[in-house]
Structure formats: structure tokens, C-alpha cells
Amino acid sequence: MNYFLRKLGFYAIALWAALTLNFMIPRLLPGNPVDILLAKLQQRGGIVTAETRRAYELLLGGNSDQPLIAQYWDYLVNVFHGDLGVSVTYFPAPVSEVIAASLPWTIMLVGIATILSTILGVGLGAIVGWKPGTWLDSLVPATTLLAAVPYFWLALILVYAFATTWRLFPGQGGYDVVLDPGWSWEFIGSAVKYGFLPALTIVIASIGGWLLGMRNMMVSTLSEDYILTAEAKGLRNGKILRSYAARNAMLPSIAGFAISLGFVVSGSIVTEQVFSYPGIGSKLLTAVTNNDYALMQGIFLYITLAVLGANLVVDILYGFIDPRTRAKS
């Protein structure tokens, strides 16, 4: 019980630190987002007055008349009430609505692709590591080479092959624009078809890392004494592979999977940009381009919460999977 309480306390402090940094970083950056927006307004022929500046400050959730500590308190209260401000890019839409509209697309695309690449990579890594030095080891350099290829090159190659040359899948967008978004089978089928190439890009680029890591851990685990003892007892190879070797070798992969799952919320910015996919990654890029500080803060906050939440779940699961973790803590 003490182990789990300490973990919850640690992540509560980490959450407070993340909220504080999310509040401070935009205020520590050179320049002022209000000045940037007012300069753009002037370039378009707008008239800037004191009332205009005041309106822009309130729009971005700031108030220069308040001391910093009061602004910080208001920020915390607004965050816990779900108020992340108003997006300048998608004005007058609140940041929470902009994120809510794009987040499901990223979770479905990057989440499913991450799970598939992890399962395939860890499974193949366990098989390759079980028989090191065989022809299966030739898979490792090939997958590692694919992982080294930049995302946008791999995405462009897939678009050229499957969308432009063979015309099997669409190359851009998230669904057929003639359809109304909803839970109809027609729309779901369209979303799956449009998401196939972006998902394939992520799986191909990610599977090599999982395969190599699991393969190396399997080779190291096979030299442990308990593996030799299991073999001496005459246990079947399949039993040793599943219950002894793979189960212990995959513990580091669980931690890596938690981090990867947490970063699902951030999306794959390059992949989404190449495929014009309506996910959170494209929204983040748009926010950076347009100096939309409220939207940037909101997306960074969601990413932080996802990473902390995923790591907390895995830390708790670690305590159940490997009792030695609780003992050392």
C-alpha cells in the first residue's frame, strides 16, 4: 500500500509542476502574444486602442492589472473547470472544443498504430531472440533501416506507391468530405480507408525499435539461471518461451509502451501534415504557426496529462507484475 501511495504522491507533485510550467513558459518567452496579434491586426488595417489591447489580453486569458500570483491562481481554477481559453486561430471556438474535435482522430490513428507496432515488434523480437544467429536475425537490420528513414520520406513513398500509382487508398484527408461525420458504417469505412496509409507509416517506422529491444532483452534473459533450471527440469520450449523468457524480457517494453501510449495524444505531427489528417498534430502545428498561445498551452497540457497518466498506470501495473519493484521501493 505504501508503494502505491508514494507513486500517487509523486505523480500529484509532477502534475502540479507541469501545470506551473505550462503557465510560466508562455510568459517567459521573448515577446508578447498580445503585441504579436495587435501587430497582425495593424497590418490588416485595423485600429489598435487601449480597449483593443485589453480585449486581446482577456481573450488570451491574461490580465496585466493582476499580479502574477493572482493570474496563476485564476489559471489553475480555470483549468480545473475545463476552461483553457479561446483559440485565436479558430475564434470564437474555445480551446477545449478545438481539441475535442481533433483528439479522437489522433487517438484512433496513432493509438491503434502504436498498439499494432508494439504487439508485432515485441512478438517478432521474442521469436528472433529465442533463436539468435538464425536467418530470422536478418529481419533486425531491415526493420532498423526502416526506423531510420524519416517519417515524411516514408509517408511520401507510401503516398506515391499506394495513392498515386496504384490508387488503392486516398492520399490526403481523414474521410470522404461528401459524408456527414457520424457512427454510420459508411463513414467508419471511409475513415478506415483514409487512415490506412498514415497508420501504416507509423507501424513501419516504429516496429524496428520494438523488435530490436525485445530481441536484445531475450538474448540477455536466456543466459539467466532460472532459464537453465527450467531447461534442466525438462519443460517444453514453448512453456519456457512464454512463461519464463518472454515474460521477464518484456518488462522494459511495458515501460516503453506506456511512454509511447502517453505520447499518442500529441499525435504524429509530420505524418498528419503529409496526409492532411485532421488530428491533434496538425492543430498543434497550426497553433505554432499562428502564435495561438492558448491552443498551444491546451495541447501541451493534454499531452502532459496523457504521459503522466500512462506512466502512473504502468507503475501500478509494475507493482503487480513484478513484486520485487514494491520491495525495492
Side-chain angles (χ1 to χ4, degrees):
M1 181 60 69
N2 289 335
Y3 168 81
F4 300 112
L5 291 177
R6 282 196 296 270
K7 288 296 180 183
L8 289 174
F10 169 79
Y11 281 101
I13 296 173
L15 175 60
W16 169 77
L19 289 172
T20 304
L21 286 174
N22 201 37
F23 168 80
M24 292 299 300
I25 287 176
R27 290 162 175 79
L28 295 176
L29 292 174
N32 188 323
V34 176
D35 293 335
I36 295 172
L37 293 176
L38 291 177
K40 290 184 176 181
L41 179 63
Q42 285 181 319
Q43 291 174 359
R44 297 169 184 170
I47 300 175
V48 177
T49 63
E51 290 76 14
T52 306
R53 170 175 285 277
R54 174 69 174 173
Y56 269 85
E57 284 184 350
L58 295 175
L59 175 66
L60 295 177
N63 189 348
S64 57
D65 296 334
Q66 286 184 320
L68 190 62
I69 187 66
Q71 295 181 40
Y72 177 62
W73 175 254
D74 289 341
Y75 166 76
L76 292 179
V77 172
N78 290 335
V79 166
F80 282 103
H81 281 87
D83 182 7
L84 302 177
V86 178
S87 170
V88 175
T89 307
Y90 302 95
F91 182 84
V95 169
S96 56
E97 291 185 6
V98 176
I99 295 176
S102 55
L103 192 58
W105 291 95
T106 293
I107 291 177
M108 292 301 293
L109 170 67
V110 186
I112 292 175
T114 300
I115 293 172
L116 285 176
S117 60
T118 303
I119 293 174
L120 291 174
V122 171
L124 290 173
I127 296 172
V128 172
W130 179 250
K131 298 291 184 181
T134 62
W135 65 270
L136 291 173
D137 261 349
S138 62
L139 292 173
V140 177
T143 54
T144 305
L145 178 63
L146 290 173
V149 176
Y151 262 39
F152 68 93
W153 272 110
L154 186 58
L156 290 174
I157 291 172
L158 292 178
V159 168
Y160 176 77
F162 291 96
T164 305
T165 304
W166 297 325
R167 300 185 181 277
L168 297 176
F169 297 96
Q172 289 187 328
Y175 60 94
D176 192 340
V177 294
V178 301
L179 300 175
D180 294 325
W183 291 107
S184 65
W185 286 112
E186 189 178 10
F187 176 79
I188 293 173
S190 175
V192 170
K193 186 176 181 180
Y194 274 79
F196 180 82
L197 288 184
L200 183 62
T201 303
I202 298 172
V203 170
I204 292 175
S206 305
I207 194 172
W210 295 109
L211 192 154
L212 181 61
M214 185 62 181
R215 183 261 181 201
N216 292 340
M217 284 303 302
M218 279 291 293
V219 172
S220 176
T221 303
L222 290 175
S223 63
E224 297 289 341
D225 292 339
Y226 57 83
I227 299 294
L228 298 176
T229 303
E231 292 175 345
K233 288 182 177 179
L235 297 179
R236 296 190 305 274
N237 286 339
K239 175 70 172 178
I240 297 173
L241 171 62
R242 293 189 304 271
S243 302
Y244 293 88
R247 183 176 179 180
N248 288 279
M250 71 188 307
L251 287 176
S253 296
I254 294 175
F257 176 70
I259 297 174
S260 299
L261 206 58
F263 278 108
V264 162
V265 176
S266 66
S268 181
I269 297 175
V270 176
T271 303
E272 290 184 7
Q273 188 66 15
V274 171
F275 291 98
S276 298
Y277 196 78
I280 202 72
S282 59
K283 291 294 188 294
L284 178 57
L285 184 62
T286 302
V288 173
T289 304
N290 296 326
N291 297 306
D292 192 342
Y293 286 85
L295 184 54
M296 279 190 282
Q297 273 187 293
I299 293 175
F300 290 151
L301 180 60
Y302 270 74
I303 293 172
T304 302
L305 292 175
V307 173
L308 289 176
N311 280 274
L312 173 60
V313 170
V314 170
D315 271 347
I316 293 176
L317 289 177
Y318 245 116
F320 289 107
I321 295 173
D322 189 357
R324 295 172 299 179
T325 308
R326 299 199 302 268
K328 291 179 182 179
S329 300

